[in-house]
């Protein structure tokens, strides 16, 4: 798309003008008597809200001269950020390399490779910590490499503070009583929270946190986890800066069940979206009937075909 444009720096400006706005729809939740406002970011081009962050980071890096046509953009990710970055990098014509633990679903690896990106799979037992370490090692030794560093890059929060948040506020048209979102990098929660505070809104803002479901014997039940929601890795999360309320805890099984439920309602979403909707319901119950709670649906279902999200259905005829 961008190959016919003159001047590499112009691509950054063009990239920032791409329309990334998504709709927000109300859901009347009978269980709580509240209205849940769902921002449908799973409808973004790569199927994830990470498109906003990836566009902001790459465009700024090109404009600042940190990324040239020969620069390899690299990132450690459980998948969604790398898919978004591979799409954005392909659009402007720069190479991309993802570092991901071997536990990620194969769909994610295939999507990155189809979009022209390279994938380095790191030791499964080391999880995201190992992926980040491998990325940092290579970025420090190879020439002409730009590390996106999603867990600490301020352009992550910037993207949501100046797009997701303002869009949500305008689309709802009234002050939300609550807002909740899961934290991977913390960009969405912090960005939307800042947008609310920038406008003087007294919205109760809370983090959604998945918890392991316990078996009858009292041991944690393996459900499959919520990809991308990584505890303790964000350097962007700052509860005091935006006045975060008590964290909303959601059992993983409930998050997956909620994603399946809303699939039957016509929203083809992933488990991170299920987590956010389940947390919005729990925050709504905490606030009481008649309140409004917003959240973002960050992921689409197609990258989860081989995961626990689809264990209850079969492709067999």
């Amino acid at each position: 798309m961008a190959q016919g444009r003159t001047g590499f720096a112009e691509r950054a400006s063009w990239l920032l003008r791409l329309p990334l706005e998504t709709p927000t729809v109300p859901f009347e939740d009978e269980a709580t008597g509240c209205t849940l406002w769902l921002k449908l970011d799973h409808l973004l081009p790569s199927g994830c809200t990470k498109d906003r962050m990836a566009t902001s980071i790459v465009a700024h890096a090109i404009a600042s001269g940190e990324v040239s046509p020969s620069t390899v953009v690299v990132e450690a990710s459980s998948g969604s950020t790398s898919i978004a970055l591979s799409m954005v990098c392909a659009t402007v014509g720069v190479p991309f390399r993802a570092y991901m633990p071997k536990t990620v679903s194969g769909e994610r690896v295939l999507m990155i490779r189809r979009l022209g990106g390279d994938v380095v799979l790191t030791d499964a037992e080391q999880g995201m910590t190992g992926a980040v370490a491998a990325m940092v090692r290579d970025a420090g030794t190879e020439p002409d490499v730009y590390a996106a560093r999603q867990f600490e890059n301020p352009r992550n929060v910037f993207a949501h503070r100046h797009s997701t948040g303002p869009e949500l506020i305008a689309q709802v048209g009234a002050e939300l009583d609550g807002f909740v979102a899961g934290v991977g990098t913390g960009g969405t929660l912090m960005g939307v929270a800042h947008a609310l505070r920038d406008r003087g809104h007294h919205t109760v803002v809370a983090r959604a946190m998945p918890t392991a479901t316990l078996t009858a014997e009292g041991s944690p039940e393996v459900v499959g986890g919520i990809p991308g929601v990584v505890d303790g890795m964000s350097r962007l999360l700052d509860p005091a800066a935006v006045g975060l309320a008590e964290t909303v805890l959601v059992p993983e099984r409930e998050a997956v069940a909620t994603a399946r439920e809303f699939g039957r309602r016509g929203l083809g979403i992933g488990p991170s979206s299920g987590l956010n909707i389940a947390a919005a319901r729990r925050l709504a119950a905490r606030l009481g009937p008649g309140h409004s709670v917003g959240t973002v649906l960050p992921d689409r279902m197609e990258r989860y075909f081989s995961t626990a999200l689809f264990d209850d259905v079969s492709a067999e005829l």
Side-chain angles (χ1 to χ4, degrees), residues 50-245:
K50 301 295 188 181
D51 289 3
R52 298 177 185 271
M53 170 182 66
T55 300
S56 177
I57 288 176
V58 173
H60 182 263
I62 292 173
S64 66
E66 295 173 276
V67 170
S68 71
S70 62
T71 303
V72 180
V73 176
V74 299
E75 182 57 292
S77 160
S78 61
S80 292
T81 296
S82 290
I83 293 169
L85 281 168
S86 61
M87 179 191 73
V88 170
C89 288
T91 300
V92 294
V94 296
F96 172 72
R97 185 193 307 146
Y99 293 79
M100 300 188 294
K102 292 180 180 179
T103 51
V104 300
S105 65
E107 294 92 330
R108 294 172 177 235
V109 175
L110 290 173
M111 291 173 73
I112 293 166
R113 288 175 173 163
R114 176 54 64 212
L115 289 165
D118 291 328
V119 177
V120 176
L121 294 174
T122 58
D123 183 67
E125 293 184 0
Q126 295 183 25
M128 276 301 300
T129 301
V132 171
M135 184 271 290
V136 170
R137 179 197 65 220
D138 289 354
T141 57
E142 295 181 15
D144 204 8
V145 169
Y146 173 80
R149 299 182 185 275
Q150 59 172 328
F151 295 104
E152 59 189 82
N153 194 322
R155 298 299 300 188
N156 185 348
V157 175
F158 180 93
H160 295 287
R161 186 172 188 169
H162 296 282
S163 65
T164 319
E167 285 174 26
L168 174 65
I169 293 166
Q171 290 162 343
V172 172
E175 185 168 335
L176 287 166
D177 298 302
F179 177 81
V180 65
V183 170
T185 64
T188 301
L189 183 65
M190 290 300 298
V192 173
H194 274 297
L196 291 165
R197 303 302 185 230
D198 291 344
R199 289 156 180 79
H201 290 196
H202 298 91
T203 305
V204 175
V205 180
R207 174 184 185 178
M209 174 80 77
T211 62
T213 305
L214 298 181
T215 65
E217 293 75 26
S219 58
E221 179 182 22
V222 178
V223 177
I226 311 297
V229 181
V230 183
D231 187 21
M233 295 198 69
S234 173
R235 297 186 183 180
L236 300 172
L237 186 66
D238 186 351
V242 292
L244 291 188

